[in-house]
Amino acid sequence: MKFIPGLLPSMIEAISDTIEKNAEEVTALDQAIGDGDHVTNLQRGIHALMAQRDELSRLDWVAAFQKIGMTLMSSVGGASGSLYGTLFIALSKAAREQPLNLQNFADIFTQGVEAVKQRGKAEAGEKTMLDVLIPVADYMRTAVADSIALPEVLENIALVAVAGMESTRDMLATKGRASYLQERTRGHIDAGAKTSQLMISAIVGVLSDQLTVPA
Ligand code: ADP
Ligand code: MG
């Protein structure tokens, strides 16, 4: 499998599809413990990325991540816009320091997640997108250390993301808008955790399909 920016248009399309398909469900989650705008916020970013997708596929990873981050920062809005924007800008910075290959990606992604933690002043267990992003980063580093085969890694990333998303249901929100509702947040999955899981699963799907295509 070639891990190239040429895959970006397919990834953006897959993300767009999954957010579209799950829009009602995610909106209901954000309505329950937030203000209901999470999907429309994200869709603004996705539409902007759809318009840039051919241009993005011609950049190298450092430039592509930077451009995606800037686009998300300026188009998404809400707490999630600056956090997803921060993630990609940090991925760009990390990818500048080491070549982007499947081994290094675990470390690069971890640095991106660390930047999100700092930006949101949040940790694991606070009922946010980080409850998906942190376990996925942790799993990737373990998988690289244990030299697990790529098809299995991809399958497991999707499972870890779902488990992380589900884990937010019983958590108490202590960051973001949901934190105003305190105990009433228990019993609801966090919208940002859900969209992170959906987007990660979409990317994994594109990479898994790529594995079956001869190089
Ligand atoms: P807003 O909360 O401003 O309406 P969105 O609805 O677009 O923004 O995004 C809400 C999501 O952002 C939450 O579901 C949560 O996952 C994530 N989030 C909010 N605050 C933080 C934070 N401090 N750290 C990490 N993630 C956060
Ligand atoms: Mg919201």
Side-chain angles (χ1 to χ4, degrees):
M1 185 187 69
K2 293 203 187 92
F3 196 48
I4 50 169
L7 290 174
L8 273 171
S10 313
M11 290 180 181
I12 295 167
E13 284 157 22
I15 286 173
S16 175
D17 278 355
T18 193
I19 297 298
E20 191 72 45
K21 281 200 191 89
N22 292 279
E24 268 178 49
E25 186 189 340
V26 177
T27 296
L29 296 177
D30 195 35
Q31 277 167 346
I33 55 172
D35 56 359
D37 64 350
H38 184 55
V39 167
T40 43
N41 286 345
L42 269 189
Q43 280 176 331
R44 271 198 307 277
I46 292 167
H47 289 153
L49 293 178
M50 286 286 266
Q52 294 173 354
R53 65 195 193 278
D54 292 330
E55 191 188 338
L56 285 168
S57 71
R58 289 191 290 270
L59 301 175
D60 61 22
W61 282 110
V62 171
F65 284 147
Q66 178 73 18
K67 192 169 174 63
I68 292 171
M70 299 300 282
T71 299
L72 295 178
M73 282 272 183
S74 61
S75 60
V76 176
S80 59
S82 82
L83 294 165
Y84 281 130
T86 296
L87 173 66
F88 282 92
I89 288 168
L91 292 181
S92 172
K93 186 164 174 278
R96 204 172 294 146
E97 284 151 18
Q98 54 189 316
L100 196 148
N101 54 39
L102 291 165
Q103 281 69 37
N104 288 349
F105 190 71
D107 183 43
I108 291 170
F109 187 70
T110 300
Q111 291 186 47
V113 174
E114 281 303 316
V116 174
K117 287 166 73 176
Q118 281 176 23
R119 176 85 195 198
K121 298 187 174 56
E123 291 291 332
E126 297 199 85
K127 200 178 183 92
T128 70
M129 60 174 72
L130 285 167
D131 293 306
V132 171
L133 300 179
I134 292 171
V136 166
D138 290 348
Y139 171 70
M140 281 185 192
R141 289 196 313 281
T142 312
V144 169
D146 296 350
S147 308
I148 298 176
L150 186 57
E152 195 183 333
V153 174
L154 291 173
E155 215 169 283
N156 285 337
I157 287 173
L159 295 175
V160 168
V162 169
M165 175 271 287
E166 291 284 351
S167 77
T168 65
R169 190 192 302 273
D170 294 326
M171 290 177 185
L172 178 72
T174 46
K175 286 284 156 28
R177 221 174 269 284
S179 63
Y180 309 146
L181 295 180
Q182 300 189 352
E183 282 297 333
R184 277 179 289 157
T185 58
R186 288 200 209 272
H188 301 278
I189 287 170
D190 173 63
K194 179 73 187 179
T195 57
S196 293
Q197 178 265 313
L198 290 171
M199 293 191 281
I200 287 169
S201 297
I203 292 168
V204 161
V206 170
L207 292 174
S208 302
D209 288 349
Q210 187 69 15
L211 283 179
T212 59
V213 177

